[in-house]
Amino acid sequence: MPYETTTPEQMEAILASAEDAARELLRSTREQRAGYLRAAADALDAAADLLVPIAQRETSLPEPRLRGELKRTTFQLRLFAEVVTDGRYLDARIDRADPDWPMGAPRPDLRRTQFPLGPVAVFSASNFPFAFSVAGGDSASALAAGCPVVVKAHSGHLELSAETARIVSTALHAAGAPKGIFAIVFGTEAGRSLILDPRIKAAGFTGSIAGGRALFDLAQSRAEPIPFFGELGSNNPVFVTEAADRERGEQIAEQFVASFTLGSGQFCTKPGALFVPRGSRILEALRRIDLPAGAPMLNDRIREGYLSSVDELRSHGAAPLVSGSEPEGAAPSPALYISTAEAVLADPHAMLAECFGPSSLVVEYEREDQLPLLAAALEGQLTAAVHAEAGCQVRALVDTLIVKAGRVLWNEWPTGVSVTHAQQHGGPYPASTSSSSTSVGTAAIARFLRPVAFQGFPQELLPDELRERPLRPVPRMVDGQ
Amino acid sequence: MPYETTTPEQMEAILASAEDAARELLRSTREQRAGYLRAAADALDAAADLLVPIAQRETSLPEPRLRGELKRTTFQLRLFAEVVTDGRYLDARIDRADPDWPMGAPRPDLRRTQFPLGPVAVFSASNFPFAFSVAGGDSASALAAGCPVVVKAHSGHLELSAETARIVSTALHAAGAPKGIFAIVFGTEAGRSLILDPRIKAAGFTGSIAGGRALFDLAQSRAEPIPFFGELGSNNPVFVTEAADRERGEQIAEQFVASFTLGSGQFCTKPGALFVPRGSRILEALRRIDLPAGAPMLNDRIREGYLSSVDELRSHGAAPLVSGSEPEGAAPSPALYISTAEAVLADPHAMLAECFGPSSLVVEYEREDQLPLLAAALEGQLTAAVHAEAGCQVRALVDTLIVKAGRVLWNEWPTGVSVTHAQQHGGPYPASTSSSSTSVGTAAIARFLRPVAFQGFPQELLPDELRERPLRPVPRMVDGQ
């Protein structure tokens, strides 16, 4: 095996170096950090022809998807460079001294901005070898915040991880970043040591509920517990009203199949349940549609997990929608199952568990007023979607979904998570371990920051953004305005 | 005992009602919630002559302090009403659909705002019977966010807690708030059930490291872990340079004594260590100053804790600064101890442990360049202060303190925590369990909020603040601007 487990000695050197880099980064300017991010993006774009074939070989994902994902990844790095330059993320606040502050005591001069947490551990994902991996969202937002990053490589794409880390490290150093700003470690035991090391001050994770919870528990068991930003599992249910079924049943059926089979269903936002009225046009259409052929999955462990979660669903009474097409073998076929609202309400945890792969469950309901009840039975979700017609009575359903999910969609599909300012990728547990934060979009930078207030400080010792005459001004709240 | 432990049946009714209230609050307007907060503030102000004598009897704190604290408390409720009305706290973001979004795929219409987490448990403090208790900062910020509050009363002021809760509940209901918006429970076992109940979605705590860590561990052990905002312990060290000692030694000594003995040292921001140059004027002055007389402490448990932590400090070699005056009895006297930088560096954990009461440790250093080393040995702190002259070489010290503390002060004292927009009360563990948030100041509202993104939603189903033509406009980021 070419990527040997990181030894304790290597780990010690990496962490000592990351700690040094954290100190140096405290003195870096926002412009410098934006430069680091752009340098990493440029280097990765330039290395596409090297990296994509390795990714293809290691993950079985098709080339156009991988090229698109790499583009998304470098776009993301550059978008965070803009965020850092802009400076609004600092939420800078200045309260000047006020002898008449109505609290009952004079207000001192207080000025507040954000500082990086320190070295961050990033546990990368199997299913996005670029965008949620070595140089993915967690790394981009941590670097943007000014935190050194130590990535735990995913076993599903070791060579790609090593090569990506090499390219990113080289680019960061060429751009003048401190030596220990970026490193990668290999092996499960290295991951455990990483999360338990007192020099690591936060962690990002994308993966399964079981794996994420185990690392979360380690992070919280430390003498100094640390924030653990885990993006775990989600069913991403889709609710279709009677009117929408009548008006667009055929179209919804086609879009649903495209969404749940996209990338062989290996997305955390794959729709895992479609709630339709009994006797729907959608169901009729689904029975006629030929599902796409099976394709190789990311790796054997994921293939086996997929087959066993399909078995689990069947053991709870879900029946194949079209008889005969059971997934099996090296390239398991997509599969659709059917059940009822009653069965789902009887055991929502089992019936709406995440099934990572190209399957989904059609759930027939009797009456539309069951939908809010079904929504109330959900665990935390990354996404929840409603397909309805304008003017429909769906307020109660939407109100319930807002409580359950980080992103709610209207007549759209959850796969395809745009990297934007208003994106929210995260949700109540078990969708994520930190529902107040996002792992996609520019708001993710907040994860790795910590506010510090300066009281009565002389101008020359304040961070630039808090001075009366800053060299690089940022938007600020001054005296509450 | 007049305030009996809350029974499991009572607890069930309280939590069921809080869950209902959470649903109702989701539909409340910001104006309504601001009204609830103002109504609670008005009712508490009107009840001062009832509440203050109860507080005096239960906590032994003097009347002027308690009247001032009540004023701070109602000011705080009204300040959060302003924050809610203003709406900036929502961090509303709108990304309109963009077919040419450079990520490589069209950007859908995404709109993001904040929603309340749900019912919040508030574990109130012994030492601020108003400001960090039933109607204190955690309750104010949770209510402002739209979360129902269930307070666990502190055993040190049960009658005051019950009366405060009665007045707040009555005022909230009169102002039209939903029935279950506010409740109080009594007893350690009730506190445990509260933190473990799946209907509770977050917790605030102010108290000791041991007590806070036990509740933190329970919160993280749940099937659905929840955010636990604990403000635990802090030493609040103060570093004095040679020049400052020369210029203002006498004055610093007087201010130091006033700060560490204020309120019998029963503040989480009491300065627990003063680093001074060997042979300082400060030390000379301190040996001459008569410390104030002892006063009754908040309760017996705190008095015993104070005496035993003083013993602990002495057992590690700290010597009384003036011989003879050992704290003891029902109203233990203030006490000052002395040690060296060397001894502190040998066991910083023991020498700089929080000692809750009117004692502090003077630490003599040999050379000013030891100060950054001493700072680096600190655990996480709520505050750290520097007393220095303009133009001094203290950059390395300040840089280290920024990493260790939530608030850094320049020639000021940590006691007295102003409630403002730029305040930060919190710091790396064990100062708090969530260094990215604050328990004092308007930024505290962020603790109890969770973002939700709406994708492709029709105007009439969006929250007002995300519509193209909002009725109650708030500042927003639109298309990144």
Side-chain angles (χ1 to χ4, degrees), chain A residues 339-389:
Chain A
S339 187
T340 64
E342 219 170 20
V344 165
L345 286 171
D347 192 351
H349 178 76
M351 299 299 284
L352 302 178
E354 183 182 49
C355 173
F356 197 78
S359 73
S360 194
L361 179 69
V362 179
V363 181
E364 287 192 300
Y365 63 82
E366 299 294 327
R367 300 176 322 276
E368 222 164 82
D369 60 9
Q370 290 176 296
L371 294 184
L373 270 180
L374 286 158
L378 294 170
E379 297 184 314
Q381 302 291 335
L382 292 170
T383 76
V386 177
H387 286 255
E389 295 297 292

Coordinates of all heavy atoms in Angstrom, one line a residue, chain A residues 339-389:
Chain A
S339 N -44.3 2.1 0.0 CA -44.9 1.8 1.3 C -46.1 2.8 1.5 O -46.4 3.5 0.6 CB -43.9 1.9 2.4 OG -44.4 1.5 3.6
T340 N -46.6 2.8 2.7 CA -47.7 3.7 3.0 C -47.4 4.7 4.1 O -46.5 4.4 4.9 CB -49.0 2.9 3.5 OG1 -48.6 2.2 4.7 CG2 -49.3 1.8 2.4
A341 N -48.2 5.7 4.2 CA -48.0 6.7 5.2 C -48.2 6.0 6.6 O -47.4 6.4 7.6 CB -49.1 7.8 5.1
E342 N -49.1 5.1 6.7 CA -49.3 4.4 8.0 C -48.0 3.7 8.4 O -47.6 3.7 9.6 CB -50.4 3.4 7.7 CG -51.4 3.2 8.9 CD -52.6 2.4 8.5 OE1 -52.5 1.6 7.5 OE2 -53.6 2.5 9.2
A343 N -47.4 2.9 7.5 CA -46.2 2.2 7.8 C -45.1 3.1 8.2 O -44.3 2.8 9.1 CB -45.8 1.3 6.6
V344 N -45.0 4.2 7.5 CA -43.9 5.2 7.9 C -44.2 5.8 9.2 O -43.2 5.9 10.0 CB -43.8 6.3 6.8 CG1 -43.0 7.5 7.3 CG2 -43.2 5.7 5.5
L345 N -45.4 6.1 9.5 CA -45.7 6.7 10.8 C -45.5 5.7 12.0 O -45.1 6.1 13.1 CB -47.2 7.2 10.9 CG -47.4 8.5 10.1 CD1 -48.9 8.9 10.1 CD2 -46.6 9.7 10.7
A346 N -45.6 4.4 11.6 CA -45.4 3.4 12.7 C -43.9 3.2 13.0 O -43.6 2.9 14.1 CB -46.0 2.0 12.2
D347 N -43.0 3.5 12.1 CA -41.6 3.4 12.3 C -40.8 4.3 11.4 O -40.1 3.9 10.6 CB -41.1 1.9 12.1 CG -39.7 1.7 12.7 OD1 -39.1 2.7 13.1 OD2 -39.3 0.5 12.8
P348 N -41.0 5.6 11.7 CA -40.3 6.6 10.8 C -38.8 6.4 10.8 O -38.1 6.7 9.8 CB -40.7 8.0 11.4 CG -41.3 7.7 12.7 CD -41.7 6.3 12.8
H349 N -38.2 6.1 11.9 CA -36.7 6.0 12.0 C -36.2 4.9 11.0 O -35.3 5.2 10.3 CB -36.3 5.6 13.4 CG -34.8 5.4 13.6 ND1 -34.0 6.5 13.7 CD2 -34.1 4.3 13.7 CE1 -32.7 6.0 13.8 NE2 -32.8 4.7 13.8
A350 N -36.9 3.8 10.9 CA -36.4 2.7 10.0 C -36.8 3.1 8.6 O -36.0 2.9 7.7 CB -37.0 1.4 10.4
M351 N -38.0 3.5 8.4 CA -38.5 3.7 7.0 C -37.9 4.9 6.3 O -37.7 4.9 5.1 CB -40.0 3.9 7.0 CG -40.8 2.7 7.6 SD -40.6 1.2 6.6 CE -41.6 1.5 5.2
L352 N -37.4 5.9 7.1 CA -36.8 7.1 6.5 C -35.3 7.2 6.8 O -34.8 8.3 6.8 CB -37.6 8.3 7.0 CG -39.1 8.4 6.7 CD1 -39.8 9.6 7.2 CD2 -39.3 8.3 5.2
A353 N -34.7 6.1 7.1 CA -33.3 6.1 7.4 C -32.6 6.4 6.0 O -33.1 6.2 5.0 CB -32.8 4.7 7.8
E354 N -31.4 7.0 6.2 CA -30.6 7.3 4.9 C -30.2 6.0 4.3 O -29.8 5.1 5.0 CB -29.4 8.1 5.3 CG -28.6 8.5 4.0 CD -27.3 9.3 4.3 OE1 -26.5 8.8 5.2 OE2 -27.1 10.3 3.7
C355 N -30.4 5.9 3.0 CA -29.9 4.8 2.2 C -29.0 5.3 1.2 O -29.4 6.0 0.2 CB -31.1 4.0 1.6 SG -30.6 2.7 0.5
F356 N -27.7 5.1 1.4 CA -26.7 5.8 0.5 C -26.5 5.0 -0.8 O -25.7 4.0 -0.8 CB -25.4 5.9 1.3 CG -24.4 6.9 0.7 CD1 -24.6 8.3 0.9 CD2 -23.3 6.5 -0.1 CE1 -23.8 9.2 0.3 CE2 -22.5 7.5 -0.6 CZ -22.7 8.8 -0.4
G357 N -27.2 5.4 -1.8 CA -27.1 4.6 -3.1 C -28.4 4.9 -3.9 O -29.2 5.7 -3.4
P358 N -28.5 4.3 -5.1 CA -29.6 4.7 -6.0 C -30.9 4.1 -5.7 O -31.5 3.4 -6.6 CB -29.0 4.3 -7.4 CG -28.2 3.1 -7.1 CD -27.6 3.4 -5.7
S359 N -31.4 4.3 -4.5 CA -32.8 3.8 -4.2 C -33.6 4.9 -3.6 O -33.0 5.8 -3.0 CB -32.7 2.5 -3.3 OG -32.4 3.0 -2.0
S360 N -34.9 4.7 -3.6 CA -35.7 5.6 -2.9 C -37.1 4.9 -2.6 O -37.3 3.9 -3.1 CB -36.0 6.9 -3.7 OG -36.5 7.9 -2.9
L361 N -37.8 5.6 -1.7 CA -39.1 5.0 -1.3 C -40.2 5.9 -1.6 O -40.2 7.1 -1.2 CB -39.0 4.8 0.3 CG -40.2 4.2 1.0 CD1 -40.4 2.8 0.6 CD2 -40.1 4.4 2.5
V362 N -41.2 5.3 -2.3 CA -42.4 6.1 -2.6 C -43.4 5.8 -1.5 O -43.7 4.6 -1.2 CB -43.0 5.7 -4.0 CG1 -44.3 6.5 -4.3 CG2 -42.0 6.0 -5.1
V363 N -44.0 6.8 -0.9 CA -44.9 6.6 0.2 C -46.3 7.2 -0.2 O -46.4 8.4 -0.5 CB -44.4 7.3 1.5 CG1 -45.4 7.1 2.6 CG2 -43.0 6.9 1.9
E364 N -47.3 6.3 -0.2 CA -48.6 6.7 -0.6 C -49.3 7.2 0.7 O -49.4 6.5 1.7 CB -49.4 5.6 -1.2 CG -48.9 5.3 -2.6 CD -49.9 4.3 -3.3 OE1 -50.1 3.2 -2.8 OE2 -50.4 4.7 -4.3
Y365 N -49.9 8.4 0.6 CA -50.7 8.9 1.7 C -52.2 9.0 1.3 O -52.5 9.0 0.1 CB -50.2 10.3 2.2 CG -50.3 11.4 1.2 CD1 -51.5 12.1 1.0 CD2 -49.2 11.8 0.5 CE1 -51.6 13.2 0.1 CE2 -49.2 12.9 -0.4 CZ -50.4 13.6 -0.6 OH -50.5 14.6 -1.5
E366 N -53.1 8.9 2.3 CA -54.5 8.9 2.0 C -55.1 10.3 1.8 O -55.9 10.5 0.9 CB -55.3 8.3 3.2 CG -54.9 6.8 3.5 CD -55.2 5.9 2.4 OE1 -56.3 6.1 1.7 OE2 -54.5 4.9 2.1
R367 N -54.7 11.2 2.7 CA -55.3 12.6 2.6 C -54.1 13.6 2.8 O -53.2 13.3 3.6 CB -56.3 12.8 3.8 CG -57.5 11.8 3.7 CD -58.4 12.1 5.0 NE -57.5 12.3 6.2 CZ -57.0 11.4 6.9 NH1 -57.1 10.1 6.7 NH2 -56.3 11.8 8.0
E368 N -54.3 14.7 2.2 CA -53.2 15.7 2.2 C -53.0 16.2 3.7 O -51.8 16.6 4.0 CB -53.6 16.9 1.3 CG -52.4 17.4 0.5 CD -52.9 18.3 -0.6 OE1 -53.2 19.5 -0.4 OE2 -53.0 17.8 -1.7
D369 N -54.0 16.1 4.5 CA -53.7 16.6 5.9 C -52.9 15.7 6.7 O -52.5 16.0 7.9 CB -55.1 17.0 6.6 CG -56.0 15.7 6.8 OD1 -55.5 14.6 6.4 OD2 -57.1 15.9 7.2
Q370 N -52.5 14.6 6.1 CA -51.5 13.7 6.8 C -50.0 14.3 6.6 O -49.1 13.9 7.4 CB -51.5 12.3 6.2 CG -52.7 11.5 6.5 CD -52.7 10.1 5.8 OE1 -52.7 10.1 4.6 NE2 -52.6 9.0 6.6
L371 N -49.9 15.1 5.7 CA -48.5 15.6 5.4 C -47.8 16.3 6.6 O -46.6 15.9 6.9 CB -48.5 16.5 4.1 CG -48.8 15.7 2.8 CD1 -48.7 16.7 1.6 CD2 -48.0 14.5 2.6
P372 N -48.5 17.2 7.2 CA -47.8 17.8 8.4 C -47.4 16.8 9.5 O -46.4 16.8 10.1 CB -48.8 18.8 8.9 CG -49.6 19.2 7.8 CD -49.7 17.9 7.0
L373 N -48.3 15.8 9.7 CA -48.0 14.7 10.6 C -46.7 13.9 10.2 O -45.9 13.6 11.0 CB -49.2 13.7 10.6 CG -50.3 14.0 11.6 CD1 -51.3 12.9 11.5 CD2 -49.7 13.9 13.1
L374 N -46.7 13.6 8.9 CA -45.5 12.9 8.4 C -44.3 13.7 8.6 O -43.2 13.2 9.0 CB -45.7 12.5 6.9 CG -46.7 11.3 6.7 CD1 -47.3 11.4 5.3 CD2 -46.1 10.0 7.0
A375 N -44.4 15.0 8.3 CA -43.2 15.9 8.5 C -42.8 15.9 9.9 O -41.6 16.0 10.2 CB -43.6 17.3 7.9
A376 N -43.8 15.9 10.8 CA -43.4 16.0 12.2 C -42.7 14.8 12.7 O -42.0 14.8 13.7 CB -44.7 16.2 13.1
A377 N -42.9 13.7 12.0 CA -42.2 12.4 12.4 C -40.8 12.3 11.9 O -40.1 11.4 12.3 CB -43.0 11.2 11.9
L378 N -40.3 13.3 11.1 CA -39.0 13.3 10.6 C -37.9 13.5 11.6 O -38.2 14.3 12.6 CB -38.8 14.4 9.5 CG -39.6 14.3 8.2 CD1 -39.5 15.6 7.4 CD2 -39.1 13.1 7.4
E379 N -36.8 12.9 11.5 CA -35.6 13.3 12.2 C -35.0 14.6 11.5 O -35.5 15.0 10.5 CB -34.6 12.2 12.2 CG -35.1 11.0 13.0 CD -34.0 9.9 13.1 OE1 -33.4 9.6 12.1 OE2 -33.9 9.3 14.2
G380 N -33.9 15.1 12.0 CA -33.3 16.3 11.4 C -32.8 16.0 10.0 O -32.3 14.9 9.7
Q381 N -33.0 16.9 9.1 CA -32.7 16.7 7.6 C -31.8 17.8 7.1 O -31.9 19.0 7.5 CB -34.0 16.7 6.8 CG -35.0 15.7 7.3 CD -34.6 14.2 6.9 OE1 -33.8 14.0 6.0 NE2 -35.1 13.3 7.7
L382 N -31.0 17.5 6.1 CA -30.3 18.5 5.4 C -31.3 19.3 4.5 O -31.2 20.5 4.4 CB -29.2 17.9 4.5 CG -28.0 17.3 5.2 CD1 -27.2 16.5 4.2 CD2 -27.2 18.4 5.8
T383 N -32.2 18.6 3.9 CA -33.2 19.2 3.0 C -34.5 18.6 3.1 O -34.6 17.4 3.6 CB -32.8 19.1 1.5 OG1 -33.1 17.8 1.1 CG2 -31.3 19.4 1.3
A384 N -35.6 19.3 2.8 CA -36.9 18.8 2.6 C -37.6 19.6 1.5 O -37.4 20.8 1.5 CB -37.7 18.9 3.9
A385 N -38.3 18.9 0.6 CA -38.9 19.6 -0.5 C -40.4 19.5 -0.6 O -40.9 18.4 -0.1 CB -38.2 19.1 -1.8
V386 N -41.0 20.5 -1.1 CA -42.5 20.4 -1.3 C -42.7 20.7 -2.8 O -42.2 21.6 -3.4 CB -43.2 21.6 -0.5 CG1 -44.7 21.6 -0.8 CG2 -42.9 21.4 1.0
H387 N -43.6 19.8 -3.4 CA -44.0 20.1 -4.8 C -45.5 20.3 -4.7 O -46.3 19.5 -4.3 CB -43.7 18.9 -5.7 CG -42.2 18.8 -6.0 ND1 -41.7 19.2 -7.2 CD2 -41.2 18.5 -5.2 CE1 -40.4 19.1 -7.2 NE2 -40.0 18.7 -6.0
A388 N -45.9 21.6 -5.0 CA -47.2 22.0 -4.8 C -47.6 23.1 -5.9 O -46.7 23.6 -6.6 CB -47.4 22.6 -3.4
E389 N -48.8 23.4 -6.0 CA -49.3 24.4 -6.9 C -49.4 25.7 -6.1 O -49.7 25.7 -4.9 CB -50.6 24.1 -7.6 CG -50.5 22.8 -8.5 CD -49.6 23.1 -9.6 OE1 -49.9 23.9 -10.5 OE2 -48.5 22.5 -9.7

